[in-house]
């Protein structure tokens, strides 16, 4: 549905994007993840035709954003980082104004606006001035604005930034509910956001793509586990427990972490792509001990993200 190829963007000396390519399939919710200054907003501004790329191409629903901007933009609803809300309009006036801009046929407007107000749950705010709304409600108006014209694709730039935890959960729910009707690309620097609502992930850092895959790729699916924490207890001592673990086929390394009351906690590392959990279970049982906990610590999204951010010294970013 969205195809991004070799996107490069320079702002004078600053290389904001350094050759980014990825695609978003129809019906997917893609989490577009990266630390501040990574180039997320720049990518989204190019993708929606707000700014032009230095080089590279974007197509949406088969339409190139440069060659067929009208057709491409018709397919897109955009919630920018700072939604352009007119403070002195009421919610209703503002959304009608957006209908004008997006040329929504007059006879469809009422039905469409009623539906959008219902979806984003701001029906009872329709006659309020935007400047009198809370941040959470303003963000809903921003979402409503993106939904006008019923676009197939939604581009949401950090939709939960600045909201309180309750509002964050509500906005996430709302986005999840939209997944059935839309293809969504959502930028964030918050990892839980990705696990909470997204099906696929693209991670960028300093204008370069550094990882991509399905969300489950990053949450250590069974079979790829090669590191876990194990807590064992029983009459046999620490060294017997360690021996049992070490003697299991496929175990590469066992490190004692600490004692916790009568139990021992170890970090266990296995050979690549070897799931040793069953073997470990049997070995521990044979040693007359019991497993109290066994928790994979595969490369979670969080670990990976921290690796990425630590790899290169991040310059201080003036926003
Ligand atoms: P993100 O949204 O991931 O935080 P941005 O796309 O906003 O990142 O910014 C990427 C890089 O481009 C940053 O180094 C930022 O300072 C720079 N940048 C963004 N917009 C401009 C601009 N209009 N002029 C100059 N530099 C910019
Ligand atoms: Mg941004």
């Amino acid at each position: 549905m969205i195809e991004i190829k070799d996107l490069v963007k320079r702002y004078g000396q600053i290389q904001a994007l350094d050759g980014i390519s990825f695609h978003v399939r129809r019906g997917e919710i893609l989490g577009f993840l990266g630390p501040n200054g990574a180039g997320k907003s720049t990518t989204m501004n190019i993708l929606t035709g707000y700014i032009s790329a230095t080089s590279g191409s974007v197509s949406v629903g088969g339409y190139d954003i440069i060659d067929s901007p009208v057709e491409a933009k018709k397919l897109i609803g955009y919630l920018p980082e700072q939604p352009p809300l007119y403070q002195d309009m009421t919610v209703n006036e503002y959304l009608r104004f957006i209908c004008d801009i997006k040329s929504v046929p007059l006879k469809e407007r009422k039905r469409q606006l009623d539906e959008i107000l219902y979806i984003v749950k701001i029906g009872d705010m329709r006659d309020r001035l935007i400047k009198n709304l809370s941040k959470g409600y303003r963000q809903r108006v921003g979402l409503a604005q993106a939904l006008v014209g019923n676009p197939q694709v939604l581009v949401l730039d950090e939709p939960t930034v600045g909201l309180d935890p309750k509002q964050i959960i509500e906005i996430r729910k709302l986005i999840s509910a939209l997944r059935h009707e839309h293809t969504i690309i959502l930028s964030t620097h918050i990892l839980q956001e990705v696990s909470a609502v997204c099906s696929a992930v693209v991670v960028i850092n300093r204008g370069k793509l550094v990882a991509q895959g399905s969300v489950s790729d990053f949450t250590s699916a069974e079979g790829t586990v090669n590191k876990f924490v194990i807590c064992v207890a029983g009459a046999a001592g620490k060294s017997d427990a360690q021996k049992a673990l070490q003697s299991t086929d496929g175990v590469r390394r066992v490190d004692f972490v600490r004692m916790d009351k009568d139990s021992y906690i170890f970090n266990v590392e296995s050979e690549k792509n070897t799931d040793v959990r069953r073997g470990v279970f049997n070995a521990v049982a044979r040693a007359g001990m019991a497993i109290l906990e066994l928790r994979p610590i595969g490369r979670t999204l969080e670990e990976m993200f921290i690796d990425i951010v630590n790899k290169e010294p991040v310059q201080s970013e003036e926003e």
Side-chain angles (χ1 to χ4, degrees), residues 163-213:
L163 303 182
D164 69 38
K166 184 163 172 278
Q167 295 168 330
I168 288 177
I169 289 171
E170 283 167 0
I171 293 282
R172 281 184 192 160
K173 255 197 215 150
L174 216 145
I175 294 169
S176 296
L178 292 170
R179 83 169 74 211
H180 307 295
E181 306 285 325
H182 304 270
T183 301
I184 303 177
I185 168 167
L186 169 155
S187 80
T188 181
H189 60 277
I190 307 165
L191 293 152
Q192 298 94 303
E193 197 130 300
V194 172
S195 354
V197 298
C198 299
S199 50
V201 195
V202 163
V203 188
I204 65 167
N205 190 32
R206 305 180 143 231
K208 284 201 169 84
L209 194 144
V210 289
Q212 72 185 116

Side-chain angles (χ1 to χ4, degrees), residues 84-242:
L85 301 177
Y86 294 94
Q87 304 292 328
D88 288 318
M89 287 185 178
T90 65
V91 171
N92 219 359
E93 285 165 351
Y94 174 68
L95 292 177
R96 282 180 179 278
F97 167 68
I98 300 292
C99 284
D100 285 341
I101 295 180
K102 295 196 181 177
S103 325
V104 176
L106 277 170
K107 57 180 190 332
E108 280 179 29
R109 287 190 187 183
K110 188 176 171 345
R111 192 193 51 79
Q112 197 178 110
L113 287 186
D114 283 347
E115 190 177 325
I116 291 172
L117 291 171
Y118 173 76
I119 292 171
V120 305
K121 302 197 172 63
I122 47 172
D124 43 349
M125 298 288 162
R126 64 203 304 163
D127 295 319
R128 291 258 197 116
L129 290 176
I130 288 174
K131 66 179 172 196
N132 295 335
L133 296 179
S134 69
K135 172 98 187 153
Y137 273 104
R138 265 184 235 172
Q139 199 65 352
R140 285 168 197 245
V141 177
L143 258 176
Q145 145 306 119
L147 289 169
V148 169
N150 196 23
Q152 293 179 32
V153 174
L154 292 176
V155 179
L156 312 175
D157 197 353
E158 309 231 14
T160 59
V161 113
L163 303 182
D164 69 38
K166 184 163 172 278
Q167 295 168 330
I168 288 177
I169 289 171
E170 283 167 0
I171 293 282
R172 281 184 192 160
K173 255 197 215 150
L174 216 145
I175 294 169
S176 296
L178 292 170
R179 83 169 74 211
H180 307 295
E181 306 285 325
H182 304 270
T183 301
I184 303 177
I185 168 167
L186 169 155
S187 80
T188 181
H189 60 277
I190 307 165
L191 293 152
Q192 298 94 303
E193 197 130 300
V194 172
S195 354
V197 298
C198 299
S199 50
V201 195
V202 163
V203 188
I204 65 167
N205 190 32
R206 305 180 143 231
K208 284 201 169 84
L209 194 144
V210 289
Q212 72 185 116
S214 69
V215 167
S216 56
D217 287 344
F218 293 103
T219 45
S220 81
E222 201 179 353
T224 61
V225 177
N226 62 3
K227 253 183 174 178
F228 52 86
V229 179
I230 187 167
C231 175
V232 297
K238 175 191 138 198
S239 63
D240 279 351
Q242 184 147 3

Side-chain angles (χ1 to χ4, degrees), residues 232-250:
V232 297
K238 175 191 138 198
S239 63
D240 279 351
Q242 184 147 3
K243 251 185 248 158
L245 293 171
Q246 242 143 13
S247 65
T248 306
D249 271 353

Side-chain angles (χ1 to χ4, degrees), residues 6-21:
D6 302 323
L7 222 49
V8 171
K9 178 69 183 178
R10 279 186 219 104
Y11 295 109
Q13 298 283 37
I14 297 171
Q15 176 99 16
L17 299 180
D18 190 6
I20 285 193
S21 306

Side-chain angles (χ1 to χ4, degrees), residues 35-42 44 81 157-158 187 319:
N36 284 327
K40 301 182 297 295
S41 297
T42 301
M44 293 181 138
E81 211 161 18
D157 197 353
E158 309 231 14
S187 80
E319 292 284 310

Side-chain angles (χ1 to χ4, degrees), residues 261-303:
K261 290 185 200 135
D262 300 329
S263 58
Y264 306 97
I265 297 170
F266 298 93
N267 277 342
V268 176
E269 211 179 301
S270 68
E271 305 294 342
K272 265 213 164 50
N273 296 319
T274 312
D275 190 345
V276 295
R277 289 175 295 182
R278 288 172 190 82
V280 161
F281 176 88
N282 290 328
V284 170
R286 271 199 304 273
M289 300 184 84
I291 295 179
L292 301 187
E293 189 186 359
L294 195 156
R295 179 165 48 88
I297 44 172
R299 254 169 94 70
T300 61
L301 197 52
E302 190 154 24
E303 281 184 305

